[in-house]
Amino acid sequence: MQFCEAPYNVIVKSCYALVLLSLAIVGCGGSGSSGPGPTPNPTAFLGLERTRQVGPVNYSYYQFGQGQPLVLINAFGMTNANWTTTLLRELGKRYRVTIFDNRGIGRSVDTSPDQLTIDTMADSTVALIEALGIHKPDILSWSMGAETALTIGLRHSNKVGKLILVGSDAGGPNTLPPTPEFMAIAVLADPTIAQVMSIIFPPGHQAAIDRYLEGWHEMPVDLALPDQRNVQLGAFAIWQTQGVWEQLPTIQNPTLVLHGAEDISTPIENAQGIANRMPNATLVQFPNAGHAVLFQEQETCLTIMDIFLKE
């Protein structure tokens, strides 16, 4: 079903989803806020960085905000810093948020000698959730984080609540791979910021890129090293051959799929396949957005997420 007046297209799979997204349309008429004013310390809301040893992983994480628990799982090669103050500040007004560096990335040190896989990332993420005493949090996930969230839904569905997948695919032979343009930059040992921005935002969206970079530069320095990204690249290669495509119909968690139609990392057909195969999934696709749709269309995404999570 297409809503012509909204800046996205919607696949509706239930009456609940129709209500959810019709309400979202009412509140998505563009940017009506000038954003937060300047603050002496733009990251004060994060609180202090914390660490927690969970098996072979010493996780770096932050917890902030009030409300129902929301755990964020990040994208390939990215750390806490890549969520940006702009997004995190808004989420903290709504939810009790937990962000963490994935195992072996940034400041989360992984001493396991075993091959990293999406399965082990999912199991380890749930182990962290349990170690922190978070009861059935909802999950907001991006890219490789969405692959992890799908695997959590398959392996640990009773440990989490609702799933939000941004820029997701289900792996395996039925998944369309990233475009050559994306992979040419993704495999670089030390890509420039401009190169990274060029593969997660479509052309012509410099204002959105500037907003993202401003929020990123305000975050504490937390960079992934080239060898850390290479380890995650190995996990992604395994995912491409295996994935969870065949098991998607068994994942019962209510799921919201947000996707940019101009995504060169994860072609839109992958999100459409996920939404069609999962029994409780709704897809919202943004015609003029890329892999960083959550940041490019932040206000609209937050409106839709709020309705979905509060139902």
Side-chain angles (χ1 to χ4, degrees), residues 97-213:
V97 179
T98 301
I99 61 172
F100 64 98
D101 285 351
N102 283 321
R103 61 181 297 171
I105 281 285
R107 291 200 283 265
S108 288
V109 179
D110 183 4
T111 59
S112 172
D114 298 332
Q115 167 72 56
L116 182 70
T117 67
I118 301 299
D119 285 357
T120 57
M121 291 172 70
D123 294 345
S124 189
T125 297
V126 171
L128 175 63
I129 288 170
E130 292 182 317
L132 297 180
I134 308 172
H135 178 67
K136 293 197 72 169
D138 299 316
I139 303 293
L140 170 60
S141 56
W142 182 23
S143 193
M144 180 175 279
E147 299 165 3
T148 304
L150 278 172
T151 306
I152 290 173
L154 179 63
R155 296 165 68 94
H156 307 282
S157 63
N158 63 324
K159 301 294 179 64
V160 298
K162 297 179 180 180
L163 308 178
I164 301 173
L165 314 176
V166 183
S168 54
D169 70 60
N174 292 296
T175 290
L176 294 181
T179 66
E181 293 83 0
F182 176 86
M183 289 306 300
I185 292 175
V187 300
L188 293 177
D190 191 20
T192 66
I193 291 176
Q195 287 174 318
V196 173
M197 294 301 102
S198 74
I199 59 174
I200 64 175
F201 290 89
H205 292 277
Q206 189 60 47
I209 292 174
D210 291 343
R211 287 193 300 270
Y212 176 83
L213 292 177

Side-chain angles (χ1 to χ4, degrees), residues 255-276:
T255 300
L256 175 64
V257 183
L258 304 176
H259 211 96
E262 302 301 319
D263 191 339
I264 65 171
S265 165
T266 311
I268 186 65
E269 291 86 353
N270 295 318
Q272 293 166 346
I274 289 172
N276 284 331

Side-chain angles (χ1 to χ4, degrees), residues 22 46 68 88 91 98 105 151 159 173 183-184 215 217 241 279 290 306-307:
S22 64
L46 289 173
Q68 66 193 86
L88 295 180
L91 289 174
T98 301
I105 281 285
T151 306
K159 301 294 179 64
M183 289 306 300
H217 286 307
T241 62
D306 288 346
I307 299 168

Side-chain angles (χ1 to χ4, degrees), residues 288-305:
N288 300 310
H291 199 55
V293 59
L294 180 61
F295 305 94
Q296 183 182 327
E297 303 291 345
Q298 177 177 303
E299 291 189 16
T300 302
C301 287
L302 287 174
T303 298
I304 296 171
M305 286 168 46

